[in-house]
Amino acid sequence: MPRYFTDELLRRLRNDIAWPMLLKELDWPHKVRLGQLAFVCPRCREYRSAVNPRTNLGRCFWCDTNFNPIEFTMAVQEWDFVTAVHYLKALLVRGPSRSAAP
Ligand SMILES: [Zn+2]
């Protein structure tokens, strides 16, 4: 299988994409609960989730699924890996749309 992206880019997307920004950009339901960021699980639609700031992984405790930002974007948008990586790469470069230059 051809390699489209460098390991460094994929590592940055997994580690450096901030979940609050990602959830806003995807316009996906989320809230802060007991100091933890929770989101609707794109797999089971439950709200029993949390983002671990240390690992930058979102976890659904209901269906036992971990999401990194790439996996989460794929699940929410029903995109393939390549499409999700292109989207997140643009997000990483330009930052959130609300603070983008005109
Ligand atoms: Zn779930």
Side-chain angles (χ1 to χ4, degrees):
M1 186 177 170
R3 299 290 301 270
Y4 296 100
F5 308 109
T6 64
D7 289 341
E8 170 63 13
L9 173 65
L10 298 179
R11 189 194 62 73
R12 287 186 64 203
L13 296 181
R14 286 192 296 263
N15 296 339
D16 297 349
I17 293 281
W19 278 83
M21 175 186 76
L22 177 62
L23 290 162
K24 277 199 192 91
E25 287 291 322
L26 293 172
D27 199 21
W28 190 256
H30 60 283
K31 61 188 173 189
V32 176
R33 188 178 55 203
L34 302 174
Q36 280 192 314
L37 183 60
F39 53 86
V40 168
C41 176
R43 193 169 170 198
C44 70
R45 309 281 156 176
E46 289 290 332
Y47 226 128
R48 302 187 189 198
S49 60
V51 172
N52 185 333
R54 200 163 40 79
T55 58
N56 208 39
L57 287 176
R59 175 164 182 81
C60 173
F61 300 104
W62 189 252
C63 70
D64 265 344
T65 304
N66 283 316
F67 299 96
N68 66 40
I70 301 170
E71 293 161 341
F72 187 78
T73 302
M74 290 169 68
V76 164
Q77 304 286 43
E78 299 181 342
W79 286 343
D80 60 23
F81 180 79
V82 172
T83 306
V85 168
H86 278 299
Y87 172 83
L88 293 173
K89 184 181 172 187
L91 200 59
L92 193 68
V93 170
R94 71 167 165 78
S97 54
R98 68 186 184 283
S99 64

